[in-house]
Amino acid sequence: MLSIPAIVRDARQAAKLSEHAMARLLGLSTDGLRRIENGKDEASPALLDRYAQTFGLSLKRFLAGEARHAPMGLLLRSIQTPSSLDELASAEAHRVLGEFVRTARDIADLRDLLHEPRDSSLLNGLKARPIDASPPPHGAERLARSLRAHLGLGLDPIPSMIDLLERRLGVDILWVSPDELDRDIDGASARGPAPAILVNLVGGAELFWRTRMTLAHELCHLVFDRNVLSESRPRGFVLFSPRPPAGDEEGARRRSYRRFHLFDDFESIERRASAFAAYFLAPPEGVRQLVGRTDATSEEAIVAVSHHYGVGRETAINVLKNVYRLPPDARRVMLTRKYLPPTPSEHPDVHRGAIGLRAGALQDLALRALARGAIDPVTARDYLGLGLTDELPPHAELDDAQRAPLRSPEDKARSRVDGYLQETPGYECLHAAVVLREPYGFQVMVVEACDQGSVRPAGFVRVTRGFEIIDSVLDRPAPSSRRGARKRARATSS
């Protein structure tokens, strides 16, 4: 059994991350990381969970040494420029992506518990296609045509991308907003243990045409790009998709993926997925039939393609440009032409459900598993990221008693202060004791457990109703107590 220092060091080295890069992702100093890897400092449970999240694993799987082959580890390993890693860390995007992978795995586990696995056989039967030598966007139209034929879609509009992915292809869709994930990342996709797509609702859920493009873009990654990382396997894959900035100049397009640059072919793969999405949603043969003799540069043609195929205005213009081989100047005029933007209408791809990784599908599965006795109340809260003092969300299969908190708010305040004391150097031998309710939240009295077995008051910590530390008035423990605490910690870790 590997020790904690060996596990965290092995995880970093398997991802080929420097000490500085790993520390940056975890929010530590480089020296602090070295001390943990060398066993001089203990990693707190919260820090170990940040490690696990970064690698897209549960804490249990991370401590079992699975980070070496984790899909997020392969993704991090593929990042070749320090600036891109810094961008991920500064936006904390790696944590959201890691949590996306963890949530997708939790959903798959819960489906197995409830004997409700998704049928992904149709998706799994499709073959990956590496980027070839054809001109950009690397045969995207051919790939879109082949997938439409495989799914029997013909030239008709796809009524709902959500329905196609969830019901026919067995793909779970998770939803976040720019409040949670950097708005320069449109989405992400993961292949194992079950296929899943993450959609960032940039601009809001009502912009269904953006959602449709994101879903089609990520579908391309799931089907054709799942082996883009040299060491990945069809069931061990995760990739995210940056949002290219607006711009018509080729230079702007070349700069579009600079912020999050992964590997040498990353821009080519992204350009192919974007072109695939447009052709998959609006097949060229269907566009020709729809537009007929209408001037392809006219507003009438743009509106017809946009409304018929459920795509945005810019996508409709791009498809018309490529289908009718319009010159760049014509596209530029079409983009800058004044028009009356359509008001958002009802559409099956307007997301009306909950937003958040651990909301929606995961929440429903966890609560149904609890109601049917497949998991206990503690595990259900674990899945939902809730504490023991939190009430479970309403659900048709749960009554009020089943949803009630398992611990009091005072217990949570005491636990929060104990965690704070354990993570603060020099306070390891202090412990939370009596909890008093105050108008602002709680005042938690703190005691020092001395080596001789006696206990003495050591001050207090103020905690808000939301269980955040406001301030503290604490005595420094005696040196002998600190030495005793360190000795007990070493004995526990060994």
Side-chain angles (χ1 to χ4, degrees), residues 154-320:
L155 302 180
D156 295 331
I158 298 172
S160 171
M161 280 297 297
I162 294 174
D163 189 71
L164 175 69
L165 285 161
E166 290 185 332
R167 296 183 181 276
R168 290 201 61 191
L169 299 179
V171 179
D172 282 304
I173 304 174
L174 285 72
W175 308 86
V176 293
S177 72
D179 292 334
E180 192 170 355
L181 179 61
D182 190 288
R183 65 185 305 107
D184 280 347
I185 295 178
D186 266 341
S189 47
R191 187 71 188 202
I197 286 175
L198 175 67
V199 177
N200 192 8
L201 293 168
V202 179
E206 61 277 359
L207 301 186
F208 63 86
W209 51 91
R210 279 191 57 88
T211 295
R212 287 165 66 81
M213 279 294 287
T214 299
L215 291 172
H217 183 112
E218 298 304 329
L219 175 60
C220 182
H221 288 328
L222 281 179
V223 174
F224 301 117
D225 298 329
R226 61 185 184 269
N227 288 334
V228 295
L229 307 179
S230 59
E231 296 175 75
S232 68
R233 298 292 182 268
R235 295 188 63 79
F237 163 87
V238 60
L239 193 67
F240 69 92
S241 302
R243 179 173 65 93
D248 298 323
E249 298 300 323
E250 185 62 23
R253 293 190 175 277
R254 288 175 181 169
R255 292 190 299 271
S256 63
Y257 304 107
R258 183 173 296 173
R259 185 181 176 200
F260 299 112
H261 178 78
L262 298 185
F263 39 82
D264 290 340
D265 284 336
F266 185 57
E267 181 179 344
S268 296
I269 286 167
E270 283 299 296
R271 287 169 62 111
R272 181 173 80 169
S274 294
F276 166 90
Y279 289 131
F280 186 71
L281 291 171
E285 296 90 339
V287 170
R288 290 190 189 94
Q289 291 180 15
L290 178 68
V291 174
R293 296 181 178 276
T294 305
D295 178 4
T297 66
S298 68
E299 197 64 24
E300 182 182 353
I302 297 170
V303 170
V305 173
S306 178
H307 288 190
H308 186 71
Y309 286 109
V311 296
R313 178 183 172 81
E314 185 171 350
T315 299
I317 290 171
N318 289 339
V319 171
L320 286 166

Side-chain angles (χ1 to χ4, degrees), residues 56 191 252 342 430 476:
R191 187 71 188 202
L430 300 185
R476 273 283 175 185

Side-chain angles (χ1 to χ4, degrees), residues 385-433:
L386 298 175
L388 300 182
T389 57
D390 295 319
E391 184 179 61
L392 290 174
H395 192 273
E397 296 187 28
L398 293 176
D399 59 32
D400 291 344
Q402 291 172 300
R403 293 176 48 229
L406 301 179
R407 293 173 61 190
S408 69
E410 285 84 357
D411 288 334
K412 184 166 184 177
R414 186 181 295 110
S415 176
R416 175 71 180 89
V417 171
D418 268 332
Y420 163 72
L421 294 171
Q422 289 301 307
E423 292 178 3
T424 305
Y427 288 150
E428 298 91 343
C429 58
L430 300 185
H431 304 279

